[in-house]
Amino acid sequence: MASKTLICDAEPWKDLKAHVEDIKKTHLRDLMNDQERCQSMMVEFDGMLLDYSRQRATLATMDKLYKLAEGASLKNKINRMYSGEHINSTENRSVLHVALRAPRDAVICSDGKNVVPDVWNVLDKIKDFSEKVRSGSWVGATGKPLKDVIAIGIGGSFLGPLFVHTALQTDPEAVESSKGRQLRFLANVDPIDVARNITGLNPETTLVVVVSKTFTTAETMLNARTLREWISSALGPSAVAKHMVAVSTNLTLVEKFGIDPNNAFAFWDWVGGRYSVCSAVGVLPLSLQYGFPTVEKFLKGASSIDQHFQSAPFEKNIPVLLGLLSVWNVSFLGYPARAILPYSQALEKFAPHIQQVSMESNGKGVSIDGVPLPYEAGEIDFGEPGTNGQHSFYQLIHQGRVIPCDFIGIVKSQQPVYLKGEVVSNHDELMSNFFAQPDALAYGKTAEQLLKENVAEHLIPHKTFSGNRPSLSLLLPSLNAYNIGQLLASYEHRIAVEGFVWGINSFDQWGVELGKSLATQVRKQLHASRTKGEPVEGFNFSTTTLLKKYLEASSDIPADPPTLLPRI
């Protein structure tokens, strides 16, 4: 029987709702003058510094948020996750992405079995295989080394690995270890994505990694069949076994596809797609590109945050603080969006990855017990590296809607540039903006200040900044593989904290299913119309009209076309 108890009925929630009136009377200009408050809102762990003093919160707010966490049994829920209980109740699964980066001697159980040895068996297999490919002892069908990798996968099988790959591309150590190699990601079923991926590559030197847990994902498998055709048309069907490997648990379909099951790398039901970058999904393609030792550092960085999240008291716990502040902003202050603003071009794919992790996890309208939520849950996430974003959407953030911001800064650039005679280095110029923007949002600029600057009276309303716009700052010492792991795990756990407090299931994603099942009907219709000339039936007027228009405008496509691959 579904429990009717919602967190909004608890006293700590009601207390915070009432407290909002107190916060409305404050301004960050005044809150930032309280040095004791600001100092208490800075937390350091393992080289990372979180400063949340520019949140619209007082010390009393934080105490009330800790009571809310207590009321939501946050500590118990975290412990249940780490102990392998089936907290993903709608799919009856454990949630154990922490096991993917646990030390070899750790004990983390699912259904009474320690899963860590299984994880390390796969990691050892990846290390062995990637070293063979990178050293040239594993070669393609014509005897040439495989220096180019295309990883096929979508959603969590793509966004996480792409984020890590993009972040590592300019790290000096990773640059050295990836010389002469290429890694590309094929996600979209759009044939243009296929064309872009194979352009400039030679099938003789290309290894394809097909990532699909069930080996049935429609987009991924169509792309896999397309690249299988690309390889076999150039090198013969027998070449597939040398040029394609799989990350999957369905060994029967892997073998049927033409891939040797020995070259399939496993992952498990307790790994959600969007949390899978630390499994073979990410570790295999990244190890092929950068070598396993670099990827192991990434896993160690994530593991460091895993241990911190499980053990640190809430007031010193970075993911817990991030999560509680998100709940405060969304459910109490009424700010539904969050901007993720990394001041590092290497992190350009971080926001798109977190967008999926956050919005697929917490975009829910019912509690974990199926009760409709009477409050807002989930955040609308978007972002762009600074300073690019400043010349794009910061106008709205400064003078339009209030959007809480995450500023992410790096102390030491991966690729420093110094020009003789310049006032500051290129990285200092970037970081000047990282330090300035949060204050601009917090303090704003008043009409009085503008008058003192002799600004024309008719321009004063246009040049006034209200300020009082919340942000937080995360400062990392550098951006190497270890730091990238820390950053990823901090956000993964932040998102779990939000879901635990809201009382939702952050680990299922039923919302992605309906569109897929409707697409199946459309697919059948397109096939029937193209091959048998059958009329469009069974859809509403709008969809019927659009389908007819599409079919008429593309009627030159033959009913049974010969194989055609992109030509660029």
Side-chain angles (χ1 to χ4, degrees):
M1 190 68 187
S3 162
K4 299 294 177 194
T5 311
L6 295 169
I7 188 62
C8 61
D9 298 325
E11 283 309 310
W13 185 282
K14 293 174 184 173
D15 193 21
L16 277 162
K17 276 288 183 191
H19 177 63
V20 170
E21 293 308 310
D22 300 332
I23 292 300
K24 281 180 180 173
K25 297 169 191 164
T26 67
H27 196 289
L28 281 168
R29 284 182 205 123
D30 305 313
L31 294 178
M32 293 300 290
N33 285 333
D34 183 343
Q35 199 172 326
E36 188 184 335
R37 169 191 168 277
C38 292
Q39 193 164 6
S40 74
M41 293 183 172
M42 292 185 180
V43 177
E44 282 192 72
F45 173 73
D46 197 13
M48 291 176 73
L49 170 64
L50 167 65
D51 174 5
Y52 62 96
S53 60
R54 291 176 191 79
Q55 290 286 312
R56 292 190 65 192
T58 61
L59 298 179
T61 313
M62 297 313 298
D63 285 339
K64 292 175 192 297
L65 283 169
Y66 299 139
K67 286 192 174 72
L68 180 69
E70 206 175 299
S73 306
L74 178 59
K75 185 66 191 161
N76 178 49
K77 288 173 181 176
I78 293 169
N79 288 338
R80 287 181 64 212
M81 180 173 90
Y82 277 74
S83 62
E85 289 190 40
H86 287 210
I87 62 168
N88 177 358
S89 52
T90 63
E91 296 180 300
N92 194 26
R93 290 173 181 171
S94 305
V95 176
L96 285 177
H97 42 279
V98 294
L100 299 171
R101 53 251 187 162
R104 201 182 278 269
D105 58 356
V107 177
I108 300 175
C109 292
S110 176
D111 299 323
K113 180 191 176 187
N114 180 15
V115 299
V116 178
D118 290 346
V119 168
W120 275 95
N121 284 342
V122 174
L123 290 175
D124 288 338
K125 184 177 174 180
I126 291 171
K127 182 184 179 188
D128 180 56
F129 178 74
S130 61
E131 283 174 358
K132 280 181 185 166
V133 172
R134 287 169 55 82
S135 68
S137 67
W138 173 292
V139 292
T142 61
K144 290 184 178 175
L146 301 174
K147 61 183 182 62
D148 307 311
V149 174
I150 300 176
I152 306 177
I154 199 161
S157 302
F158 150 66
L159 290 163
L162 178 63
F163 142 60
V164 179
H165 170 52
T166 309
L168 282 172
Q169 269 181 314
T170 38
D171 169 64
E173 188 182 321
V175 167
E176 195 57 39
S177 64
S178 61
K179 275 185 176 166
R181 305 196 62 80
Q182 278 190 82
L183 172 58
R184 299 182 183 185
F185 292 90
L186 172 55
N188 202 330
V189 74
D190 185 340
I192 289 167
D193 206 10
V194 173
R196 286 178 174 175
N197 267 274
I198 63 177
T199 296
L201 294 190
N202 179 353
E204 289 183 276
T205 59
T206 303
L207 178 69
V208 176
V209 179
V210 184
V211 182
S212 175
K213 186 184 282 188
T214 59
F215 237 59
T216 58
T217 311
E219 302 96 324
T220 298
M221 295 319 298
L222 180 52
N223 277 335
R225 291 191 295 274
T226 304
L227 287 204
R228 179 178 65 184
E229 181 62 33
W230 177 67
I231 289 164
S232 57
S233 63
L235 307 173
S238 61
V240 170
K242 276 287 187 186
H243 289 264
M244 297 187 85
V245 297
V247 177
S248 179
T249 50
N250 193 335
L251 296 184
T252 306
L253 287 186
V254 167
E255 187 169 19
K256 198 173 173 186
F257 185 88
I259 295 173
D260 184 342
N262 292 318
N263 299 329
F265 299 81
F267 61 123
W268 304 271
D269 275 348
W270 42 260
V271 184
R274 57 192 173 274
Y275 296 95
S276 68
V277 62
C278 294
S279 73
V281 168
V283 173
L284 177 58
L286 292 166
S287 294
L288 287 163
Q289 178 69 5
Y290 298 108
F292 185 78
T294 297
V295 181
E296 192 172 13
K297 287 174 190 166
F298 160 71
L299 297 175
K300 282 181 175 167
S303 180
S304 163
I305 295 295
D306 293 341
Q307 292 167 49
H308 165 70
F309 176 51
Q310 189 182 20
S311 61
F314 287 172
E315 64 275 9
K316 294 287 179 195
N317 192 313
I318 289 174
V320 167
L321 290 165
L322 292 172
L324 291 176
L325 290 165
S326 281
V327 171
W328 170 239
N329 284 324
V330 172
S331 299
F332 296 94
L333 297 181
Y335 303 144
R338 169 180 61 185
I340 300 169
L341 310 170
Y343 277 65
S344 168
Q345 193 62 33
L347 291 174
E348 65 178 304
K349 296 298 183 184
F350 183 59
H353 175 51
I354 297 306
Q355 192 175 53
Q356 188 209 1
V357 180
S358 169
M359 294 170 77
E360 198 169 78
S361 293
N362 291 340
K364 308 291 166 64
V366 298
S367 76
I368 196 162
D369 298 307
V371 180
L373 298 179
Y375 49 86
E376 293 294 329
E379 281 173 310
I380 302 161
D381 292 271
F382 70 100
E384 187 71 28
T387 57
N388 294 3
Q390 292 173 202
H391 297 271
S392 172
F393 51 79
Y394 279 35
Q395 167 63 43
L396 183 144
I397 289 173
H398 279 289
Q399 289 186 308
R401 295 169 184 264
V402 176
I403 298 177
C405 297
D406 293 359
F407 289 94
I408 302 167
I410 314 295
V411 174
K412 290 183 179 174
S413 174
Q414 290 178 333
Q415 297 291 331
V417 172
Y418 306 99
L419 296 181
K420 191 171 173 63
E422 290 287 342
V423 178
V424 291
S425 69
N426 295 39
H427 188 65
D428 279 354
E429 178 65 30
L430 174 75
M431 292 300 286
S432 298
N433 289 275
F434 166 82
F435 293 114
Q437 288 289 337
D439 279 342
L441 288 166
Y443 288 85
K445 197 161 192 177
T446 64
E448 292 76 25
Q449 288 172 303
L450 292 164
L451 277 169
K452 283 179 187 171
E453 293 174 8
N454 297 318
V455 171
E457 200 166 323
H458 72 284
L459 288 176
I460 284 177
H462 300 280
K463 293 195 167 188
T464 299
F465 292 74
S466 63
N468 211 25
R469 291 162 183 262
S471 70
L472 57 85
S473 300
L474 260 179
L475 194 59
L476 278 68
S478 56
L479 194 64
N480 56 31
Y482 186 88
N483 307 131
I484 294 164
Q486 289 178 302
L487 185 62
L488 173 76
S490 297
Y491 273 75
E492 284 179 343
H493 296 320
R494 169 201 201 148
I495 288 155
V497 167
E498 294 168 48
F500 288 151
V501 173
W502 280 321
I504 59 180
N505 184 354
S506 298
F507 306 105
D508 62 8
Q509 57 287 323
W510 298 107
V512 305
E513 298 300 325
L514 178 59
K516 287 200 289 191
S517 65
L518 293 179
T520 302
Q521 296 172 34
V522 177
R523 190 184 300 122
K524 286 176 183 171
Q525 178 68 63
L526 288 172
H527 177 72
S529 297
R530 290 221 193 271
T531 57
K532 300 172 194 166
E534 289 185 11
V536 176
E537 289 176 336
F539 300 92
N540 61 46
F541 176 80
S542 171
T543 305
T544 300
T545 306
L546 289 169
L547 274 169
K548 282 180 176 175
K549 180 79 175 166
Y550 175 70
L551 285 162
E552 284 163 17
S554 58
S555 59
D556 56 331
I557 296 173
D560 187 18
T563 295
L564 175 69
L565 292 172
R567 294 189 185 98
I568 293 186

